[in-house]
Amino acid sequence: MRTGSEPSTARSPLRMRLWLSVWGMIWALFGVVAFVATGRAGWATACAVLLAVTVVDLCVVIRHLRQGPHYQPGRDVPPYEPERGGRGGRSPHVP
């Protein structure tokens, strides 16, 4: 819900998430190689799962970056009014 108090220049930290994913991918890959080399299959599996999670996150971030900016209402669009009433007769935001 838009309240009108959001910063006008707010952006999603996708580039930071991109670099954190790359950093995590490097460390997870290092962990897989190191634990396979020392014969610790359990830890190597855990690092491989973490590697898979970071690769998926990296793909999602790249997809969102390629989509570009989405529509954001400008300063001339007033904030949305909170819903009054509803199904239960009370809005969850009104005490």
Side-chain angles (χ1 to χ4, degrees):
M1 181 173 93
R2 187 168 173 267
T3 62
S5 62
E6 299 89 2
S8 61
T9 59
R11 298 285 184 255
S12 176
L14 286 175
R15 295 208 189 276
M16 180 180 68
R17 219 170 113 192
L18 172 87
W19 291 111
L20 286 174
S21 291
V22 169
W23 182 251
M25 193 172 60
I26 290 169
W27 276 103
L29 184 62
F30 173 75
V32 168
V33 170
F35 286 125
V36 166
T38 59
R40 300 194 178 222
W43 284 105
T45 303
C47 285
V49 169
L50 185 61
L51 179 64
V53 169
T54 58
V55 167
V56 168
D57 186 47
L58 185 66
C59 291
V60 169
V61 169
I62 289 172
R63 179 176 178 265
H64 286 186
L65 282 171
R66 287 187 178 172
Q67 283 179 345
H70 296 284
Y71 169 75
Q72 295 292 319
R75 292 182 183 264
D76 57 331
V77 177
Y80 302 125
E81 288 294 321
E83 184 179 328
R84 306 275 186 225
R87 290 185 196 163
R90 288 183 57 177
S91 175
H93 302 290
V94 179

